[in-house]
Amino acid sequence: MSNEHAPLLTYGLFNMVGETGAPGSGSADSAPTAASTRSLNTFFGVVVPTVLSMFSIVLFLRTGFVIGHAGLLQALIMLGVAYVIISLTILSICAISTNGAVQGGGAYFMISRSLGPEFGGSIGLMFYLANVCACGVYVLGLVEAILDVFGQAEGLCSMQVLPQGYWYRVLYASAVLLLCLLVCLVGSHIYSRAAFLILVVVTISLLSIVISPLALGPRSFIISHQGESNSTLVYNATYTGFSRTTLRNNLGTGYSLDYSTNTVMTFATVFAVMFNGCTGIMAGANMSGELKNPSESIPKGTIIAVLYTFFIYLLLFVLISSTCDRVLLIQDYGFFQRINIWPPFVTIGVYCTSLSAAMSSLIGASRILHALALDQLFGLPLAPATITSTSGNPWMSVVYTWALVQCVVFAGQLNSITSLVTVFYLLAYAAVDLACLALEWASAPNFRPTFQFFSWHTCLLGIMGCVVMMFVINPVYSSASIALLLLLLVFIHYRAPTSSWGYISQALIFHQVRKYLLMLDVRKDHVKFWRPQVLLMVANPRSSCQLITFVNQLKKGGLFVLGHVQLGDLDTLPSDPIQPQYNFWLSLVDKLGVKAFVDLTLSVSVRQGTQHLLRITGLGGMKPNTLVLGFYDNCVPDDYFLQDPAFCEGVAGPGGSRGDNFGVDLPSLQAHFPPVRSSESPRWLSPEEYVGIISDAIKMGKNVCLGRCFFQLEGGRTGASPTASGAERTIDVWPLNLLRPENSGYVDVCSLFLLQMACVLNMASGWRRARLRIFLCVEAESGDQGWMAKEETLRDLLGKLRIRASIKIVGWDARRAGTPGGGDVGEGELGGWARQAPGVSEEYLSSVNALVMEHSAQAAVRFLYLPRPPAGSNQSQKYLSQLEVITNGLGPTLLIHGLTPVTCTEL
């Protein structure tokens, strides 16, 4: 048997976020040390870093800016919108973090284990870069605050001891960053303890701000700024203390020129500044690797921190609006020092919040980088970041991050970077909401978070809020960040190895497919929308790959299933031998680049196994309507694996070279399917059984196709000829029962089925330029008028069916003379084969073969009419012999017997 000729021959859910496996081995190896480094509780590990990150420098240096420009009413609206967005995200964080064990990496870990490595890696890297840039912003903000006091004469406590200039600012920022590096190298537990002291200092500073209006009386200030053309602008500002008039004047908006940027402020620009003070909600989640119980600490600590910061912001908004006039708020960012009972309280608060926010960002970023490196999503460049100290501190990741922050410090100009940081944060928040939404919509049974105060509505609102605010803050940065996200997603999709985390896409696809399959009602089928749904029986793919790829082009978007029968009896076996084979067959499908399913069965005979597959393959309205078999002959099959470069080592097939082979590499795939040998023959599969399979399929109402010599088909997978232009190729159709021509026509169901299948092939991308030819056999005795009438009838039929084909007239008399009785044999209800033994002579069969050979020798593929098989099994060998003689030497040939009405002339 050659190539596809013996395809029936057989030779002897979803892991949830608690899954700690990763594509690389690093994650697994780090598990023993992870437990020993978990020492932080909810307060020190989540509440403190989250509060300090949300306060940062915005609390002390931009609160008055927001009230002065937007007014109290719009400021409260901004505050409400900002906290609604982050609260919705927090609900998603709480749901995901309480659904399983959370490891190091915080937001990255939760997103990657929920959405898969592509989304997790891309969002994780962008979140990492956001933390890096944010750390640089906080460091430079601290330097500016220091220079305001110690570097210029206008400072309230000026000592004028620090020289200023670009390189001096870089030097001061590098010194501050080095201090942060040293603290982070010692360990996050040291920072968490220091962070608590910083929080105490910041709290004292806030108390001094709240108490000051009770101790200080009204006072006026003169504020000056450098204007255009070196002019000096002087403003008279007033601190009124608690005043109803001041509060009334500050209710409305007062958008004006910002003295630091010389641009007129708007709702969007002011909101962008204010929202930057609310982007620290992930600080606690980033510490997940150091938390004793992250699933409990992250939701509880984050909610407490957000409620606390909201109360503080709300209190300061009302306090400022009631005590300071608009000029003071707009013209002096550091006005808190002017109205404090002891100005150094505010100075110390600014220094502490900036320093703690910088260290929090540095530590959080290093933990994300460490998790990315362990998962090996970006290969060798991040390999050193997996190194940790004996105590589990990822010091190499800290050094990596410190170096990148140092580069940000050298950039100097960070006004635009602040907006970019906020956009990156919002994108990460949207991804967390998306992860939770996907898990909720997938309805996976293992998604059972202990935190229940969320729904898909909150997730969807969170996504919409984050995306809208991204574009409100900066449309250019938002578009660029989404483009970068997509590029990273594609890169990781093709670069990263297969993960064991589970893919949310698979759960969502399952959910949707099940829903739409239920909607696909077989009772509503109509001939207008018919398409081939093929079950191709394959024994050894080494000899059937060309037929597999050809049928893939013939399916026209329909169902395509590769069926395989393994001989055996489950009663005599210790386990099912079929299940382990699926990965090999699916890898073969990937390697060939075909869109096919795989269905395997175990049976005592090939015929019985094929019956099983014909009955049970598919689901609902997607079940095979056509059975395709290889031809039954004694030809020696070729080994396709030895011919196609895709099955050679080092050569990537259509499926790409991602490495996601699911445990089946190329040597394993080749070893699973044994080599084709010349000694192999179909003797174990008798002619009676083979013909019985055809009969069974016809009885079950399935169309049947027999493919012969498809190993000779040129063009490999696509069907395009490597040597000739596609316009020169032809598809030849002989829609006449060559064994019973006297009882066949061109308008019976089977002939029309041939025309439809040929037309479907002609519509495939690799065959669109091929010419479709239909051969009309006529008798000389009918005269010119007779065959012209037949041609016109056929042409009219093709026009109604919208089939573009040329008609070729073929004389039939000499061949028909070889039929028994000169054409008096009738088929009856079941056809001539079913009622009596075949009586065509060898000479007739040879002459028919010569006729087809004469007219279709150069065709790329031929479609021939397949007669019904004989009713008696004793005629099976004769039936196959006649088919073999007719198709001998023709090249790629498809014998088709159609039972389904597939053509329609109506709209």
Side-chain angles (χ1 to χ4, degrees):
M1 300 181 68
S2 68
N3 298 279
E4 75 283 354
H5 298 148
L8 293 172
L9 182 62
T10 179
Y11 305 92
L13 164 61
F14 178 75
N15 293 324
M16 303 308 295
V17 296
E19 177 65 53
T20 59
S25 59
S27 292
D29 295 340
S30 66
T33 61
S36 62
T37 62
R38 296 181 179 275
S39 59
L40 301 181
N41 57 21
T42 301
F43 183 75
F44 288 106
V46 181
V47 176
V48 173
T50 302
V51 168
L52 292 178
S53 295
M54 295 185 69
F55 281 162
S56 66
I57 60 175
V58 175
L59 178 69
F60 291 99
L61 299 182
R62 291 297 184 271
T63 306
F65 165 86
V66 173
I67 297 295
H69 286 286
L72 178 61
L73 296 181
Q74 284 200 9
L76 292 177
I77 292 175
M78 292 180 184
L79 185 67
V81 171
Y83 270 81
V84 166
I85 292 175
I86 64 173
S87 297
L88 294 174
T89 304
I90 289 171
L91 296 181
S92 300
I93 294 174
C94 295
I96 296 176
S97 62
T98 59
N99 191 57
V102 180
Q103 304 300 316
Y108 160 70
F109 183 88
M110 290 187 286
I111 296 172
S112 62
R113 269 51 175 186
S114 299
L115 298 184
E118 291 92 346
F119 273 100
S122 54
I123 290 291
L125 184 61
M126 297 184 71
F127 192 46
Y128 169 75
L129 294 176
N131 277 273
V132 168
C133 295
C135 183
V137 169
Y138 299 143
V139 169
L140 287 177
L142 175 58
V143 171
E144 290 180 4
I146 293 174
L147 292 178
D148 283 343
V149 176
F150 298 102
Q152 59 183 18
E154 289 80 2
L156 293 178
C157 302
S158 176
M159 298 176 61
Q160 303 186 51
V161 295
L162 297 178
Q164 297 194 60
Y166 169 76
W167 289 107
Y168 280 111
R169 289 197 301 272
V170 171
L171 177 62
Y172 304 149
S174 300
V176 173
L177 187 58
L178 182 61
L179 174 62
C180 296
L181 172 65
L182 295 177
V183 173
C184 295
L185 286 178
V186 172
S188 59
H189 62 284
I190 299 297
Y191 161 71
S192 65
R193 299 302 188 269
F196 173 69
L197 297 178
I198 294 174
L199 180 61
V200 172
V201 173
V202 171
T203 303
I204 294 175
S205 300
L206 291 173
L207 287 175
S208 71
I209 293 175
V210 174
I211 295 173
S212 293
L214 302 177
L216 297 178
R219 59 188 64 188
S220 299
F221 307 101
I222 297 178
I223 304 173
S224 62
H225 297 302
Q226 194 73 26
E228 297 180 357
S229 303
N230 293 324
S231 61
T232 301
L233 303 177
V234 180
Y235 300 92
N236 292 319
T238 305
Y239 169 73
T240 64
F242 288 106
S243 169
R244 183 179 302 175
T245 302
T246 303
L247 177 62
R248 186 183 304 112
N249 293 336
N250 286 330
L251 289 177
T253 60
Y255 295 111
S256 60
L257 193 71
D258 176 27
Y259 72 85
S260 65
T261 60
N262 288 324
T263 57
V264 177
M265 295 292 99
T266 63
F267 181 90
T269 54
V270 174
F271 182 83
V273 173
M274 196 219 71
F275 193 82
N276 194 47
C278 306
T279 55
I281 58 174
M282 291 286 194
N286 291 340
M287 303 292 291
S288 59
E290 283 79 21
L291 297 174
K292 294 179 181 178
N293 188 357
S295 296
E296 178 182 346
S297 298
I298 290 175
K300 183 186 299 184
T302 304
I303 291 175
I304 292 174
V306 168
L307 291 176
Y308 174 71
T309 56
F310 177 76
F311 172 77
I312 294 298
Y313 275 120
L314 184 62
L315 178 63
L316 290 181
F317 279 11
V318 175
L319 180 67
I320 293 169
S321 301
S322 304
T323 58
C324 302
D325 71 351
R326 194 179 297 273
V327 175
L328 178 62
L329 298 178
I330 292 178
Q331 301 302 329
D332 186 7
Y333 293 158
F335 74 98
F336 274 134
Q337 298 181 51
R338 298 178 182 270
I339 63 172
N340 199 276
I341 55 177
W342 191 50
F345 270 139
V346 177
T347 303
I348 295 172
V350 172
Y351 294 169
C352 289
T353 54
S354 301
L355 188 62
S356 65
M359 286 191 292
S360 176
S361 297
L362 185 62
I363 290 179
S366 65
R367 269 44 179 183
I368 296 173
L369 181 66
H370 181 63
L372 284 168
L374 288 177
D375 290 341
Q376 300 180 6
L377 298 182
F378 295 94
L380 291 178
L382 296 186
T386 60
I387 301 174
T388 61
S389 65
T390 55
S391 61
N393 184 31
W395 64 271
M396 199 62 191
S397 296
V398 175
V399 174
Y400 260 71
T401 307
W402 167 80
L404 289 177
V405 176
Q406 186 65 59
C407 295
V408 175
V409 167
F410 276 107
Q413 300 297 327
L414 292 176
N415 291 336
S416 58
I417 295 179
T418 303
S419 298
L420 183 62
V421 170
T422 305
V423 167
F424 279 172
Y425 276 127
L426 284 172
L427 194 59
Y429 299 164
V432 173
D433 288 323
L434 178 63
C436 189
L437 177 67
L439 291 171
E440 179 72 8
W441 275 356
S443 301
N446 283 326
F447 184 56
R448 299 188 298 270
T450 56
F451 182 87
Q452 295 292 323
F453 300 100
F454 78 101
S455 69
W456 68 268
H457 304 86
T458 62
C459 300
L460 188 60
L461 287 175
I463 295 173
M464 295 172 59
C466 290
V467 173
V468 168
M469 293 320 305
M470 282 172 56
F471 285 91
V472 167
I473 290 171
N474 195 308
V476 175
Y477 286 159
S478 300
S479 302
S481 63
I482 293 175
L484 178 60
L485 171 67
L486 295 177
L487 289 176
L488 289 173
L489 191 148
V490 172
F491 171 79
I492 299 176
H493 176 74
Y494 286 102
R495 162 63 183 82
T498 304
S499 75
S500 60
W501 310 332
Y503 292 81
I504 187 63
S505 59
Q506 295 298 303
L508 290 173
I509 290 171
F510 176 88
H511 185 268
Q512 293 302 108
V513 167
R514 181 194 64 85
K515 180 173 70 175
Y516 286 116
L517 275 176
L518 290 172
M519 298 170 61
L520 189 61
D521 193 342
V522 294
R523 297 169 296 182
K524 298 179 182 179
D525 283 347
H526 194 279
V527 65
K528 290 189 296 186
F529 308 111
W530 180 91
R531 67 183 71 229
Q533 303 205 91
V534 182
L535 171 63
L536 171 60
M537 298 302 299
V538 179
N540 190 342
R542 286 178 177 266
S543 61
S544 307
C545 287
Q546 294 94 333
L547 183 59
I548 293 173
T549 54
F550 175 78
V551 174
N552 184 62
Q553 301 168 50
L554 193 63
K555 68 181 186 303
K556 188 56 180 174
L559 179 68
F560 182 23
V561 181
L562 299 183
H564 174 74
V565 179
Q566 177 166 328
L567 296 180
D569 187 355
L570 192 59
D571 290 339
T572 63
L573 298 172
S575 62
D576 184 10
I578 296 299
Q579 295 305 319
Q581 297 187 32
Y582 271 96
N583 270 2
F584 293 97
W585 284 87
L586 293 173
S587 297
L588 173 73
V589 168
D590 293 338
K591 204 71 174 174
L592 292 174
V594 298
K595 298 178 181 179
F597 298 94
V598 174
D599 212 347
L600 314 178
T601 189
L602 180 71
S603 180
V604 294
S605 71
V606 176
R607 181 177 181 181
Q608 187 181 80
T610 306
Q611 290 179 10
H612 295 167
L613 294 178
L614 283 172
R615 293 184 185 279
I616 66 175
T617 296
L619 196 63
M622 294 190 66
K623 296 184 75 68
N625 55 33
T626 303
L627 174 67
V628 180
L629 307 174
F631 199 75
Y632 188 96
D633 60 13
N634 293 313
C635 296
V636 177
D638 295 332
D639 195 332
Y640 185 79
F641 282 15
L642 301 179
Q643 302 173 5
D644 194 319
F647 290 91
C648 300
E649 289 285 358
V651 180
S657 58
R658 296 171 49 197
D660 52 352
N661 50 33
F662 299 92
V664 180
D665 54 13
L666 187 56
S668 300
L669 183 65
Q670 293 174 334
H672 179 74
F673 301 110
V676 177
R677 299 179 179 87
S678 59
S679 59
E680 291 173 354
S681 68
R683 294 305 95 194
W684 58 270
L685 180 63
S686 66
E688 292 75 17
E689 187 173 10
Y690 181 83
V691 175
I693 293 173
I694 300 175
S695 300
D696 294 341
I698 293 176
K699 292 176 182 178
M700 297 169 69
K702 310 295 183 182
N703 311 295
V704 179
C705 301
L706 307 182
R708 187 177 191 189
C709 295
F710 275 89
F711 67 95
Q712 300 177 8
L713 185 66
E714 293 182 339
R717 295 188 178 96
T718 63
S721 174
T723 59
S725 170
E728 299 298 325
R729 305 165 72 224
T730 60
I731 303 171
D732 287 359
V733 183
W734 295 77
L736 180 69
N737 186 348
L738 297 177
L739 294 184
R740 289 288 180 263
E742 66 283 352
N743 294 306
S744 301
Y746 291 93
V747 293
D748 66 341
V749 172
C750 187
S751 298
L752 293 177
F753 188 87
L754 257 74
L755 295 176
Q756 180 78 346
M757 294 296 283
C759 182
V760 167
L761 179 63
N762 202 196
M763 296 168 68
S765 58
W767 295 86
R768 286 175 183 168
R769 297 182 61 192
R771 290 186 296 115
L772 184 60
R773 302 192 303 179
I774 301 176
F775 290 86
L776 176 62
C777 299
V778 298
E779 300 87 356
E781 63 187 30
S782 62
D784 292 343
Q785 295 297 325
W787 69 260
M788 290 180 63
K790 290 184 177 181
E791 181 184 14
E792 187 61 31
T793 301
L794 180 57
R795 194 176 303 279
D796 183 61
L797 175 64
L798 295 178
K800 292 180 179 179
L801 297 178
R802 289 90 60 203
I803 297 177
R804 303 171 68 177
S806 60
I807 300 175
K808 301 296 181 181
I809 306 299
V810 176
W812 187 250
D813 296 271
R815 278 79 184 179
R816 191 183 176 204
T819 58
D824 296 330
V825 179
E827 278 194 286
E829 294 180 359
L830 298 178
W833 271 110
R835 298 183 61 84
Q836 61 182 40
V840 292
S841 64
E842 288 290 334
E843 291 78 11
Y844 168 76
L845 296 173
S846 299
S847 64
V848 170
N849 174 258
L851 177 69
V852 178
M853 180 74 74
E854 176 185 350
H855 292 88
S856 297
Q858 301 302 319
V861 65
R862 301 145 197 84
F863 286 73
L864 271 60
Y865 191 115
L866 175 66
R868 276 182 176 269
S873 60
N874 60 331
Q875 297 296 329
S876 298
Q877 181 64 61
K878 186 72 173 179
Y879 175 73
L880 293 177
S881 299
Q882 292 178 346
L883 296 179
E884 183 172 1
V885 172
I886 289 180
T887 58
N888 184 41
L890 293 183
T893 303
L894 199 66
L895 293 133
I896 301 177
H897 189 91
L899 300 176
T900 309
V902 294
T903 56
C904 181
T905 60
E906 301 175 355
L907 286 176

